[in-house]
Amino acid sequence: MSEKSLKELNLKLQTLINPSPLQRIRHPLLEQHQVHLSVKRDDLLHGDISGNKWRKLKFNLIEARSSQINHILSFGGAYSNHIHALAAAGFHLGFKTSAVIRGEAAYVSNPTLKQAAAWGMNLQFVTRKEYRQRNESEYLHQLQKQYPDAFIVPEGGSNIFALAGLAEAVQEIQEQSETSVEHIITATGSGGTLAGLISAFKDHKSTTRITGIAVLKNADYLNQSVHSLLQQAAVKSGAPWELKTQFHHGGYAKVSEQLISFCRQFSEQTSIPVEPVYTGKMFYALFQLIKQGYFKKGEHIVALHTGGLQGLNGLKQRGLYPQS
Ligand SMILES: Cc1ncc(COP(=O)(O)O)c(C=O)c1O
């Protein structure tokens, strides 16, 4: 029974999601500094389930299905890309989904949660105080009692099962790139994506360096989160990596005029849509680093487009991003 449903899941996965394109970018700044840039377009993985959210969820879903569990529960803020992607994955792949949401029930009318509820997700709103306990074992124990049939995935989907999904993205990059890849760069929130990219290189000496751009303030603690995930997954020697913490623009989901105008200009020049919370901050940082001479002439950088474009609707609704 479990083998049959696992086979069915794998089949559905193959028809639903294909490798995303690796797109070469032309831009005057790249020519001026003689570096090459490609974007791994994970925003195009699927209309509803995209970016690193899909990469992190995939092996969590497979793990749950292998254990004959058909209900996934996770945590998120009211505009969470992860919650949106989990609800979509549940809808398309036949999982029941629940989410513990930080904040008041009134958030249910925002574009992210409205859509999640429409996909059948059960939403449980909790106070900020309660939400802070989301990683504590006693709290998780209670939650498991409340939802005995659920497979609990941490906030952002960042656990050891997430890493294998990012390793698949690296494998695709290596297969798709016509030249060597010296750098892979990603936006970093909880560190799961960064850890996953690093973990892809565990079996051999890597000449690819991984750089994470922290999107929140005072993010040095994320170095420890990444180490800890790598340790839990028994990754002994991943790729060399670095977390850059100076490009937060004031903090998580804080947007400056400068950042917004960068996002709009970047999208106009490259036809690649970005949003200011994650990918906009990453590309902004990448362009700053190129200007500062961080990359050597001739190097090939791959930027991982981690999706998150659904978040633009919420930002627009709150007047934090221009409507058009
Ligand atoms: C669009 C997007 N990019 C990047 C990240 C950061 O990923 P991680 O939390 O794995 O560091 C997130 C949040 O998880 C996200 O939603």
Side-chain angles (χ1 to χ4, degrees):
M1 150 77 180
S2 95
E3 232 174 73
K4 183 168 172 267
S5 59
L6 192 58
K7 255 195 195 154
E8 276 169 12
L9 175 64
N10 276 316
L11 216 72
K12 270 192 192 164
L13 291 176
Q14 277 165 26
T15 46
L16 199 66
I17 312 237
N18 288 307
S20 63
L22 184 68
Q23 181 180 342
R24 201 59 179 255
I25 303 301
R26 309 255 166 250
H27 192 281
L29 186 73
L30 304 172
E31 275 161 39
Q32 194 188 333
H33 291 268
Q34 294 174 39
V35 291
H36 308 287
L37 173 64
S38 303
V39 178
K40 178 64 173 163
R41 296 289 309 272
D42 271 7
D43 55 315
L44 299 177
L45 276 173
H46 183 270
D48 299 326
I49 331 165
S50 77
N52 64 336
K53 293 294 155 297
W54 169 245
R55 300 286 185 184
K56 292 198 279 185
L57 274 174
K58 178 177 175 184
F59 288 94
N60 273 289
L61 299 180
I62 291 175
E63 180 64 23
R65 188 62 55 91
S66 323
S67 316
Q68 291 174 283
I69 301 175
N70 213 41
H71 181 187
I72 316 286
L73 178 142
S74 196
F75 308 84
Y79 296 91
S80 165
N81 291 323
H82 167 62
I83 292 304
H84 188 267
L86 175 59
F91 176 76
H92 288 289
L93 297 165
F95 285 89
K96 188 174 153 190
T97 57
S98 295
V100 174
I101 305 291
R102 179 183 56 223
E104 303 80 46
Y107 280 128
V108 74
S109 59
N110 84 29
T112 303
L113 297 184
K114 203 168 162 180
Q115 182 59 65
W119 278 320
M121 182 176 249
N122 160 46
L123 301 170
Q124 181 180 336
F125 293 88
V126 300
T127 60
R128 282 164 175 73
K129 190 172 169 213
E130 180 172 338
Y131 191 81
R132 276 197 287 276
Q133 300 173 51
R134 67 194 176 279
N135 295 321
E136 290 175 15
S137 53
E138 181 51 29
Y139 182 70
L140 290 170
H141 187 66
Q142 289 306 322
L143 208 58
Q144 191 74 77
K145 267 194 184 160
Q146 195 185 336
Y147 296 94
D149 64 338
F151 181 88
I152 300 182
V153 173
E155 182 183 59
S158 291
N159 58 9
I160 57 164
F161 303 117
L163 304 195
L166 272 307
E168 274 193 355
V170 171
Q171 200 185 332
E172 287 174 22
I173 291 170
Q174 288 167 334
E175 284 164 11
Q176 290 168 325
S177 178
E178 283 164 12
T179 60
S180 62
V181 175
E182 281 72 36
H183 297 269
I184 300 178
I185 185 162
T186 183
T188 299
S190 66
T193 302
L194 181 55
L197 294 173
I198 298 164
S199 76
F201 296 87
K202 66 181 153 200
D203 291 332
H204 50 277
K205 273 206 174 303
S206 162
T207 50
T208 308
R209 301 182 68 82
I210 319 287
T211 303
I213 304 298
V215 299
L216 34 102
K217 209 170 163 178
N218 301 326
D220 285 320
Y221 72 93
L222 286 174
N223 282 297
Q224 188 46 45
S225 312
V226 172
H227 277 298
S228 156
L229 270 170
L230 292 171
Q231 212 168 20
Q232 285 170 48
V235 177
K236 294 213 171 61
S237 59
W241 62 280
E242 189 179 3
L243 178 73
K244 297 270 181 201
T245 56
Q246 69 272 43
F247 297 107
H248 53 73
H249 295 262
Y252 181 71
K254 293 272 192 303
V255 291
S256 58
E257 293 246 327
Q258 200 183 17
L259 178 62
I260 289 178
S261 80
F262 173 84
C263 290
R264 288 160 69 90
Q265 203 183 14
F266 178 86
S267 293
E268 257 171 46
Q269 287 173 329
T270 61
S271 301
I272 295 179
V274 293
E275 46 64 54
V277 181
Y278 293 101
T279 47
K281 278 187 188 174
M282 181 210 34
F283 281 113
Y284 183 97
L286 174 59
F287 276 30
Q288 292 298 316
L289 290 170
I290 292 172
K291 284 180 196 162
Q292 291 164 13
Y294 180 75
F295 304 103
K296 293 198 190 94
K297 280 190 183 143
E299 286 189 332
H300 180 200
I301 308 152
V302 172
L304 178 65
H305 194 310
T306 47
L309 297 168
Q310 70 84 28
L312 273 178
N313 297 329
L315 290 170
K316 285 178 183 171
Q317 192 198 42
R318 286 174 285 164
L320 297 173
Y321 200 81
Q323 288 292 338
S324 59

